[in-house]
mmCIF file with all atom_site columns, all heavy atoms in Angstrom:
data_model
loop_
_atom_site.group_PDB
_atom_site.id
_atom_site.type_symbol
_atom_site.label_atom_id
_atom_site.label_alt_id
_atom_site.label_comp_id
_atom_site.label_asym_id
_atom_site.label_entity_id
_atom_site.label_seq_id
_atom_site.pdbx_PDB_ins_code
_atom_site.Cartn_x
_atom_site.Cartn_y
_atom_site.Cartn_z
_atom_site.occupancy
_atom_site.B_iso_or_equiv
_atom_site.pdbx_formal_charge
_atom_site.auth_seq_id
_atom_site.auth_comp_id
_atom_site.auth_asym_id
_atom_site.auth_atom_id
_atom_site.pdbx_PDB_model_num
ATOM   1   N N   . GLU A 1 43  ? 63.789 134.571 140.552 1.00 98.00 ? 124 GLU A N   1
ATOM   2   C CA  . GLU A 1 43  ? 63.320 133.285 140.173 1.00 98.00 ? 124 GLU A CA  1
ATOM   3   C C   . GLU A 1 43  ? 63.323 132.417 141.435 1.00 98.00 ? 124 GLU A C   1
ATOM   4   O O   . GLU A 1 43  ? 64.335 132.309 142.121 1.00 98.00 ? 124 GLU A O   1
ATOM   5   C CB  . GLU A 1 43  ? 64.213 132.531 139.119 1.00 98.00 ? 124 GLU A CB  1
ATOM   6   C CG  . GLU A 1 43  ? 63.557 131.193 138.705 1.00 98.00 ? 124 GLU A CG  1
ATOM   7   C CD  . GLU A 1 43  ? 64.427 130.401 137.769 1.00 98.00 ? 124 GLU A CD  1
ATOM   8   O OE1 . GLU A 1 43  ? 65.568 130.712 137.502 1.00 98.00 ? 124 GLU A OE1 1
ATOM   9   O OE2 . GLU A 1 43  ? 63.897 129.301 137.343 1.00 98.00 ? 124 GLU A OE2 1
ATOM   10  N N   . GLY A 1 45  ? 63.045 128.905 143.243 1.00 98.00 ? 126 GLY A N   1
ATOM   11  C CA  . GLY A 1 45  ? 63.258 127.439 142.863 1.00 98.00 ? 126 GLY A CA  1
ATOM   12  C C   . GLY A 1 45  ? 64.102 127.424 141.642 1.00 98.00 ? 126 GLY A C   1
ATOM   13  O O   . GLY A 1 45  ? 63.710 126.765 140.636 1.00 98.00 ? 126 GLY A O   1
ATOM   14  N N   . GLU A 1 68  ? 67.014 129.550 145.910 1.00 97.00 ? 149 GLU A N   1
ATOM   15  C CA  . GLU A 1 68  ? 66.985 128.113 145.880 1.00 97.00 ? 149 GLU A CA  1
ATOM   16  C C   . GLU A 1 68  ? 67.183 127.573 147.303 1.00 97.00 ? 149 GLU A C   1
ATOM   17  O O   . GLU A 1 68  ? 67.945 128.114 148.083 1.00 97.00 ? 149 GLU A O   1
ATOM   18  C CB  . GLU A 1 68  ? 68.183 127.633 144.970 1.00 97.00 ? 149 GLU A CB  1
ATOM   19  C CG  . GLU A 1 68  ? 68.379 126.184 144.992 1.00 97.00 ? 149 GLU A CG  1
ATOM   20  C CD  . GLU A 1 68  ? 67.214 125.296 144.669 1.00 97.00 ? 149 GLU A CD  1
ATOM   21  O OE1 . GLU A 1 68  ? 66.504 125.568 143.673 1.00 97.00 ? 149 GLU A OE1 1
ATOM   22  O OE2 . GLU A 1 68  ? 66.922 124.358 145.454 1.00 97.00 ? 149 GLU A OE2 1
ATOM   23  N N   . LYS A 1 69  ? 66.400 126.532 147.585 1.00 95.00 ? 150 LYS A N   1
ATOM   24  C CA  . LYS A 1 69  ? 66.391 125.960 148.952 1.00 95.00 ? 150 LYS A CA  1
ATOM   25  C C   . LYS A 1 69  ? 67.585 125.110 149.243 1.00 95.00 ? 150 LYS A C   1
ATOM   26  O O   . LYS A 1 69  ? 68.030 125.079 150.334 1.00 95.00 ? 150 LYS A O   1
ATOM   27  C CB  . LYS A 1 69  ? 65.065 125.118 148.963 1.00 95.00 ? 150 LYS A CB  1
ATOM   28  C CG  . LYS A 1 69  ? 64.602 124.721 150.350 1.00 95.00 ? 150 LYS A CG  1
ATOM   29  C CD  . LYS A 1 69  ? 63.144 124.341 150.342 1.00 95.00 ? 150 LYS A CD  1
ATOM   30  C CE  . LYS A 1 69  ? 62.799 123.171 149.378 1.00 95.00 ? 150 LYS A CE  1
ATOM   31  N NZ  . LYS A 1 69  ? 61.474 122.665 149.631 1.00 95.00 ? 150 LYS A NZ  1
ATOM   32  N N   . PHE A 1 70  ? 68.083 124.412 148.204 1.00 95.00 ? 151 PHE A N   1
ATOM   33  C CA  . PHE A 1 70  ? 69.111 123.368 148.481 1.00 95.00 ? 151 PHE A CA  1
ATOM   34  C C   . PHE A 1 70  ? 70.514 123.822 147.998 1.00 95.00 ? 151 PHE A C   1
ATOM   35  O O   . PHE A 1 70  ? 70.778 124.152 146.816 1.00 95.00 ? 151 PHE A O   1
ATOM   36  C CB  . PHE A 1 70  ? 68.766 122.064 147.853 1.00 95.00 ? 151 PHE A CB  1
ATOM   37  C CG  . PHE A 1 70  ? 67.564 121.383 148.543 1.00 95.00 ? 151 PHE A CG  1
ATOM   38  C CD1 . PHE A 1 70  ? 66.344 121.311 147.845 1.00 95.00 ? 151 PHE A CD1 1
ATOM   39  C CD2 . PHE A 1 70  ? 67.684 120.961 149.840 1.00 95.00 ? 151 PHE A CD2 1
ATOM   40  C CE1 . PHE A 1 70  ? 65.274 120.668 148.567 1.00 95.00 ? 151 PHE A CE1 1
ATOM   41  C CE2 . PHE A 1 70  ? 66.627 120.390 150.506 1.00 95.00 ? 151 PHE A CE2 1
ATOM   42  C CZ  . PHE A 1 70  ? 65.429 120.279 149.842 1.00 95.00 ? 151 PHE A CZ  1
ATOM   43  N N   . ASP A 1 95  ? 64.251 129.153 151.878 1.00 96.00 ? 176 ASP A N   1
ATOM   44  C CA  . ASP A 1 95  ? 62.911 128.668 151.524 1.00 96.00 ? 176 ASP A CA  1
ATOM   45  C C   . ASP A 1 95  ? 62.021 129.922 151.278 1.00 96.00 ? 176 ASP A C   1
ATOM   46  O O   . ASP A 1 95  ? 62.037 130.821 152.039 1.00 96.00 ? 176 ASP A O   1
ATOM   47  C CB  . ASP A 1 95  ? 62.314 127.895 152.692 1.00 96.00 ? 176 ASP A CB  1
ATOM   48  C CG  . ASP A 1 95  ? 61.097 127.133 152.302 1.00 96.00 ? 176 ASP A CG  1
ATOM   49  O OD1 . ASP A 1 95  ? 60.168 127.760 151.656 1.00 96.00 ? 176 ASP A OD1 1
ATOM   50  O OD2 . ASP A 1 95  ? 60.974 125.931 152.524 1.00 96.00 ? 176 ASP A OD2 1
ATOM   51  N N   . ALA A 1 96  ? 61.372 129.864 150.074 1.00 97.00 ? 177 ALA A N   1
ATOM   52  C CA  . ALA A 1 96  ? 60.584 131.018 149.644 1.00 97.00 ? 177 ALA A CA  1
ATOM   53  C C   . ALA A 1 96  ? 59.464 131.366 150.595 1.00 97.00 ? 177 ALA A C   1
ATOM   54  O O   . ALA A 1 96  ? 58.876 132.456 150.472 1.00 97.00 ? 177 ALA A O   1
ATOM   55  C CB  . ALA A 1 96  ? 59.969 130.756 148.243 1.00 97.00 ? 177 ALA A CB  1
ATOM   56  N N   . ASN A 1 114 ? 59.528 128.411 137.805 1.00 98.00 ? 195 ASN A N   1
ATOM   57  C CA  . ASN A 1 114 ? 59.744 127.474 136.702 1.00 98.00 ? 195 ASN A CA  1
ATOM   58  C C   . ASN A 1 114 ? 59.816 126.046 137.157 1.00 98.00 ? 195 ASN A C   1
ATOM   59  O O   . ASN A 1 114 ? 60.655 125.689 137.946 1.00 98.00 ? 195 ASN A O   1
ATOM   60  C CB  . ASN A 1 114 ? 61.038 127.839 135.950 1.00 98.00 ? 195 ASN A CB  1
ATOM   61  C CG  . ASN A 1 114 ? 60.994 129.152 135.180 1.00 98.00 ? 195 ASN A CG  1
ATOM   62  O OD1 . ASN A 1 114 ? 59.925 129.442 134.554 1.00 98.00 ? 195 ASN A OD1 1
ATOM   63  N ND2 . ASN A 1 114 ? 61.985 129.958 135.283 1.00 98.00 ? 195 ASN A ND2 1
ATOM   64  N N   . PHE A 1 115 ? 58.856 125.257 136.653 1.00 98.00 ? 196 PHE A N   1
ATOM   65  C CA  . PHE A 1 115 ? 58.854 123.805 136.933 1.00 98.00 ? 196 PHE A CA  1
ATOM   66  C C   . PHE A 1 115 ? 58.938 123.531 138.452 1.00 98.00 ? 196 PHE A C   1
ATOM   67  O O   . PHE A 1 115 ? 59.775 122.744 138.887 1.00 98.00 ? 196 PHE A O   1
ATOM   68  C CB  . PHE A 1 115 ? 59.961 123.140 136.043 1.00 98.00 ? 196 PHE A CB  1
ATOM   69  C CG  . PHE A 1 115 ? 59.705 123.358 134.666 1.00 98.00 ? 196 PHE A CG  1
ATOM   70  C CD1 . PHE A 1 115 ? 60.181 124.537 134.026 1.00 98.00 ? 196 PHE A CD1 1
ATOM   71  C CD2 . PHE A 1 115 ? 58.897 122.529 133.938 1.00 98.00 ? 196 PHE A CD2 1
ATOM   72  C CE1 . PHE A 1 115 ? 59.825 124.844 132.726 1.00 98.00 ? 196 PHE A CE1 1
ATOM   73  C CE2 . PHE A 1 115 ? 58.604 122.846 132.606 1.00 98.00 ? 196 PHE A CE2 1
ATOM   74  C CZ  . PHE A 1 115 ? 59.074 123.954 132.008 1.00 98.00 ? 196 PHE A CZ  1
ATOM   75  N N   . ASP A 1 117 ? 58.116 122.346 142.191 1.00 98.00 ? 198 ASP A N   1
ATOM   76  C CA  . ASP A 1 117 ? 57.778 120.987 142.757 1.00 98.00 ? 198 ASP A CA  1
ATOM   77  C C   . ASP A 1 117 ? 56.257 120.903 142.842 1.00 98.00 ? 198 ASP A C   1
ATOM   78  O O   . ASP A 1 117 ? 55.594 121.779 143.327 1.00 98.00 ? 198 ASP A O   1
ATOM   79  C CB  . ASP A 1 117 ? 58.423 120.795 144.120 1.00 98.00 ? 198 ASP A CB  1
ATOM   80  C CG  . ASP A 1 117 ? 59.982 120.801 144.022 1.00 98.00 ? 198 ASP A CG  1
ATOM   81  O OD1 . ASP A 1 117 ? 60.465 120.595 142.918 1.00 98.00 ? 198 ASP A OD1 1
ATOM   82  O OD2 . ASP A 1 117 ? 60.559 120.997 145.032 1.00 98.00 ? 198 ASP A OD2 1
ATOM   83  N N   . THR A 1 191 ? 64.490 126.705 130.568 1.00 98.00 ? 272 THR A N   1
ATOM   84  C CA  . THR A 1 191 ? 65.161 126.306 131.868 1.00 98.00 ? 272 THR A CA  1
ATOM   85  C C   . THR A 1 191 ? 65.767 124.922 131.619 1.00 98.00 ? 272 THR A C   1
ATOM   86  O O   . THR A 1 191 ? 65.484 124.281 130.575 1.00 98.00 ? 272 THR A O   1
ATOM   87  C CB  . THR A 1 191 ? 64.160 126.190 133.040 1.00 98.00 ? 272 THR A CB  1
ATOM   88  O OG1 . THR A 1 191 ? 63.432 125.017 132.931 1.00 98.00 ? 272 THR A OG1 1
ATOM   89  C CG2 . THR A 1 191 ? 63.214 127.377 133.047 1.00 98.00 ? 272 THR A CG2 1
ATOM   90  N N   . TYR A 1 193 ? 64.964 122.116 133.162 1.00 98.00 ? 274 TYR A N   1
ATOM   91  C CA  . TYR A 1 193 ? 63.893 121.183 133.095 1.00 98.00 ? 274 TYR A CA  1
ATOM   92  C C   . TYR A 1 193 ? 63.092 121.297 131.784 1.00 98.00 ? 274 TYR A C   1
ATOM   93  O O   . TYR A 1 193 ? 62.704 120.307 131.182 1.00 98.00 ? 274 TYR A O   1
ATOM   94  C CB  . TYR A 1 193 ? 62.906 121.348 134.286 1.00 98.00 ? 274 TYR A CB  1
ATOM   95  C CG  . TYR A 1 193 ? 63.312 120.544 135.498 1.00 98.00 ? 274 TYR A CG  1
ATOM   96  C CD1 . TYR A 1 193 ? 64.463 120.794 136.162 1.00 98.00 ? 274 TYR A CD1 1
ATOM   97  C CD2 . TYR A 1 193 ? 62.474 119.522 135.902 1.00 98.00 ? 274 TYR A CD2 1
ATOM   98  C CE1 . TYR A 1 193 ? 64.834 120.031 137.299 1.00 98.00 ? 274 TYR A CE1 1
ATOM   99  C CE2 . TYR A 1 193 ? 62.827 118.752 137.043 1.00 98.00 ? 274 TYR A CE2 1
ATOM   100 C CZ  . TYR A 1 193 ? 64.014 119.015 137.704 1.00 98.00 ? 274 TYR A CZ  1
ATOM   101 O OH  . TYR A 1 193 ? 64.374 118.300 138.814 1.00 98.00 ? 274 TYR A OH  1
HETATM 102 N N1  . SAM B 2 .   ? 63.618 126.084 137.866 1.00 52.42 ? 206 SAM B N1  1
HETATM 103 C C1  . SAM B 2 .   ? 64.529 125.014 137.533 1.00 52.42 ? 206 SAM B C1  1
HETATM 104 C C2  . SAM B 2 .   ? 64.273 124.503 136.126 1.00 52.42 ? 206 SAM B C2  1
HETATM 105 O O1  . SAM B 2 .   ? 63.133 124.765 135.646 1.00 52.42 ? 206 SAM B O1  1
HETATM 106 O O2  . SAM B 2 .   ? 65.103 123.838 135.565 1.00 52.42 ? 206 SAM B O2  1
HETATM 107 C C3  . SAM B 2 .   ? 64.460 123.876 138.574 1.00 52.42 ? 206 SAM B C3  1
HETATM 108 C C4  . SAM B 2 .   ? 63.182 123.172 138.728 1.00 52.42 ? 206 SAM B C4  1
HETATM 109 S S1  . SAM B 2 .   ? 63.236 122.010 140.060 1.00 52.42 ? 206 SAM B S1  1
HETATM 110 C C5  . SAM B 2 .   ? 61.961 120.873 139.664 1.00 52.42 ? 206 SAM B C5  1
HETATM 111 C C6  . SAM B 2 .   ? 62.497 122.885 141.426 1.00 52.42 ? 206 SAM B C6  1
HETATM 112 C C7  . SAM B 2 .   ? 63.500 123.625 142.251 1.00 52.42 ? 206 SAM B C7  1
HETATM 113 O O3  . SAM B 2 .   ? 62.827 124.447 143.203 1.00 52.42 ? 206 SAM B O3  1
HETATM 114 C C8  . SAM B 2 .   ? 64.389 122.683 143.082 1.00 52.42 ? 206 SAM B C8  1
HETATM 115 O O4  . SAM B 2 .   ? 65.714 123.037 142.898 1.00 52.42 ? 206 SAM B O4  1
HETATM 116 C C9  . SAM B 2 .   ? 63.942 122.946 144.546 1.00 52.42 ? 206 SAM B C9  1
HETATM 117 O O5  . SAM B 2 .   ? 64.935 122.770 145.474 1.00 52.42 ? 206 SAM B O5  1
HETATM 118 C C10 . SAM B 2 .   ? 63.442 124.374 144.461 1.00 52.42 ? 206 SAM B C10 1
HETATM 119 N N2  . SAM B 2 .   ? 62.395 124.696 145.459 1.00 52.42 ? 206 SAM B N2  1
HETATM 120 C C11 . SAM B 2 .   ? 61.260 124.026 145.695 1.00 52.42 ? 206 SAM B C11 1
HETATM 121 N N3  . SAM B 2 .   ? 60.554 124.641 146.652 1.00 52.42 ? 206 SAM B N3  1
HETATM 122 C C12 . SAM B 2 .   ? 61.242 125.772 147.035 1.00 52.42 ? 206 SAM B C12 1
HETATM 123 C C13 . SAM B 2 .   ? 61.047 126.733 148.032 1.00 52.42 ? 206 SAM B C13 1
HETATM 124 N N4  . SAM B 2 .   ? 59.950 126.783 148.793 1.00 52.42 ? 206 SAM B N4  1
HETATM 125 N N5  . SAM B 2 .   ? 61.936 127.676 148.147 1.00 52.42 ? 206 SAM B N5  1
HETATM 126 C C14 . SAM B 2 .   ? 63.074 127.710 147.393 1.00 52.42 ? 206 SAM B C14 1
HETATM 127 N N6  . SAM B 2 .   ? 63.402 126.736 146.468 1.00 52.42 ? 206 SAM B N6  1
HETATM 128 C C15 . SAM B 2 .   ? 62.464 125.813 146.303 1.00 52.42 ? 206 SAM B C15 1
#
Side-chain angles (χ1 to χ4, degrees):
E124 185 186 5
E149 173 53 50
K150 195 160 59 165
F151 289 111
D176 192 310
N195 290 320
F196 301 85
D198 296 341
T272 78
Y274 270 67

